[in-house]
Amino acid sequence: MNTDIYELKDETTIQEQVFAAQIKLLYKNLLVSVIANLICAALVFFGLYQIPENIFIKSWFAAVIFVTLIRFLILYIYKHSSNNFSSLNLFIFGVILSASLWGIVDSFLMPKGELMQQMIVIVIIAGVTAGGSQSLNASLTASIIYISLIVAPLCAWLFLQNNLIYFILGTAMTLYLLFMLITSARSCNLSKQELTLYYENLLLVKKLYFSNEKLEESYKTLEQHENEIILLGKMSGVLQTCKDLQESYDIIIFAAKELFGRFNGCLGILNSSTNNLEIIKQWGDSQHIKAVFNTSDCWAIRKGYSYFVPDTTKDVICYHFNSPPGAYVCLPLILESGVMGLFILHADNKEIFAEYKPQLAANFCETIQLSLSNIMLHEELYEQSIRDPLTGLYNRRYMDETLARELKRAFRENKSLCVAMLDLDNFKRFNDVNGHEAGDEVLTFMGIVLKENFRMSDVACRFGGEEFLIILTDSNLSTAYPRLDALRKQIKNGEVFFNHHKLPPITISIGIAEAIKDGSSVKEIIDAADKALYAAKAGGRDRVEVLNNITHDSLDIL
Ligand code: GH3
Ligand code: MG
Ligand code: MG
């Protein structure tokens, strides 16, 4: 690419550029023309005048050398100056000096009487004029001054000689002068036009070059924008297939790092029971953000839309930040039901936030809040579908699935598994005496106690009515029996209140069966536990019974 494009300044006009180029051209030719001038002067001085005694000729040649030095000095000044107007003036000054000296030689110092020598001077003058004017065609003023100052005195001298030959020569030289002036004017004009065209062309190329660069830039931005949209789409697609929230958080942070990797960031999710936001995933440096904080600590959540702080030293900071440096933005994740979370981007260096794209962040948050709310709804529905509403325990449907799975696992891993069937004793009578609602209170109490005792890998379910089933993983009859007997005692000694009145104690009967020993399928093992429960009822209720031959006594001493 032409490097002149970079020299083209936007603020200068074409005329100014052309003027500067003309000055440049004038000075470019200066060195050669000054040397040529000196050689021609030396030819005249040493050749024609043979270093005469004439003090005027000697002074003239001394003046030529002096002017040559002045013109070198002008060239030096030009190289160290940036003012084009003063450079032109100085140049013309040099031209005047140089041309005047030739004017002097061809008029006042013309060799007297020696026609041949006079002819040689005239020829040299014509040559100097023609050669010099060529090197000056970048400036019409300089050309006119140069030609006129050299040739006009010669014409005048020739006409003043009162001789036909000189008159003819004078006429010829006058015509030569006019011809030189006309051709110089044309040549200067052409040179100017050429330069104007060149710079106009250069300007167009420059515009084309920069608009091409801009086009490339906007193409890159578009490409990046497209990649971001593709990534958002991919994230949204993957989020739809997430099994649970935990899985979705990983996907969200992965995509966030891809899109906003230059910043530190984190995702906070609302814990509805405490109304606190808990930071559940983060990347980069997050030491300035509190791990758990109240929703009212964030200005974005209070306002209901994003809160951007471009300079943390000059703005009001959210309370969930511990004096963070740089800049940050909080984007609330809001659903119809209210706030569900918060997405935060932060950078220690506020300059990085020049790259922050609000629209991209808004699109990202919109995508994740929709996906998260879908997954939350899905989880809520699933939870509802597997839970018994009165006791909060798992329901029979979930129990069927879980028992089948746990049985398979126990067989595969060669581990023991027990199933206990619980039934409230004489609950019909309890309802009749205390009312159905009091009975419900007892069932709720059962749910609380069972959840407390069997919360880890064991699964407690409401099997139906006032019957419960517990899957005890990694347990055999010997380990299950004492736990269930302790449970029986805990329930018997438990205090249940209804309408501020303490209800009479309730007892339960429990039947236990062990996998493989008492059955290998879901049905077989439940039937076995049921049989053991029947035995416990038959044995007088308020007891734990096992199906096999192990007696109470043998278990008690274990
Ligand atoms: P047993 O000791 O032999 O188990 O006697 P029982 O009275 O507990 O047994 P039965 O099967 O005759 O009665 C079960 C009672 O449980 C009948 C029903 O009123 C009560 N029941 C079942 N589901 C609920 C419930 O959701 N709420 C209340 N309050 N009672 C229930
Ligand atoms: Mg019962
Ligand atoms: Mg029953």
Side-chain angles (χ1 to χ4, degrees), residues 283-451:
W283 80 89
D285 173 17
S286 57
Q287 55 167 326
H288 302 289
I289 304 167
K290 291 180 186 169
V292 178
F293 53 89
N294 196 271
T295 47
S296 60
D297 289 348
C298 181
W299 292 111
I301 292 181
R302 283 205 206 180
K303 292 192 307 168
Y305 49 89
S306 66
Y307 184 66
F308 180 35
V309 176
D311 186 346
T312 52
T313 58
K314 291 183 185 150
D315 284 287
V316 180
I317 310 294
C318 293
Y319 298 111
H320 54 80
F321 268 109
N322 300 317
S323 42
Y328 78 88
V329 62
C330 285
L331 298 126
L333 307 176
I334 298 175
L335 297 175
E336 269 176 34
S337 50
V339 176
M340 65 168 293
L342 183 67
F343 183 61
I344 304 173
L345 293 173
H346 167 246
D348 289 348
N349 178 358
K350 63 177 188 267
E351 313 301 328
I352 294 178
F353 255 85
E355 294 169 26
Y356 171 61
K357 297 177 187 167
Q359 194 52 52
L360 176 66
N363 289 346
F364 178 78
C365 287
E366 203 169 313
T367 309
I368 62 172
Q369 71 193 15
L370 276 173
S371 303
L372 284 178
S373 81
N374 261 347
I375 297 167
M376 280 175 179
L377 200 72
H378 192 258
E379 277 198 348
E380 207 178 297
L381 284 173
Y382 177 69
E383 194 67 13
Q384 275 174 16
S385 74
I386 59 167
R387 292 267 177 198
D388 165 55
L390 182 67
T391 59
L393 294 170
Y394 291 114
N395 59 20
R396 185 157 176 181
R397 196 190 115 202
Y398 181 77
M399 187 278 297
D400 280 338
E401 285 170 13
T402 311
L403 183 54
R405 194 175 60 237
E406 289 301 329
L407 270 174
K408 269 190 201 159
R409 198 210 304 269
F411 293 145
R412 194 173 57 239
E413 295 172 11
N414 203 19
K415 285 186 174 162
S416 51
L417 180 141
C418 279
V419 168
M421 187 73 95
L422 284 68
D423 189 288
L424 299 187
D425 295 332
N426 300 316
F427 196 53
K428 188 177 179 325
R429 202 170 61 221
F430 185 94
N431 272 334
D432 293 345
V433 174
N434 303 288
H436 200 82
E437 284 182 345
D440 280 355
E441 199 59 47
V442 170
L443 290 171
T444 307
F445 166 73
M446 282 294 294
I448 294 167
V449 175
L450 289 178
K451 272 193 266 179

Side-chain angles (χ1 to χ4, degrees), residues 5 18 114 294 314 324 327 429 526 529:
I5 284 182
V18 168
E114 302 278 346
N294 196 271
K314 291 183 185 150
R429 202 170 61 221
I526 289 179

Side-chain angles (χ1 to χ4, degrees), residues 57-76:
I57 296 293
K58 276 184 179 171
S59 307
W60 176 81
F61 192 64
V64 169
I65 293 171
F66 183 64
V67 167
T68 304
L69 291 175
I70 288 178
R71 295 191 81 185
F72 279 138
L73 182 69
I74 290 171
L75 183 62
Y76 176 82

Side-chain angles (χ1 to χ4, degrees), residues 49 100-112 121 125 149-158 160-161:
Y49 294 95
S100 302
L101 286 174
W102 284 110
I104 287 169
V105 92
D106 66 27
S107 49
F108 301 107
L109 300 178
M110 189 67 104
K112 301 281 181 256
V121 169
I125 289 296
L149 280 179
I150 298 178
V151 185
L154 175 63
C155 296
W157 183 82
L158 287 167
L160 284 172
Q161 297 310 305

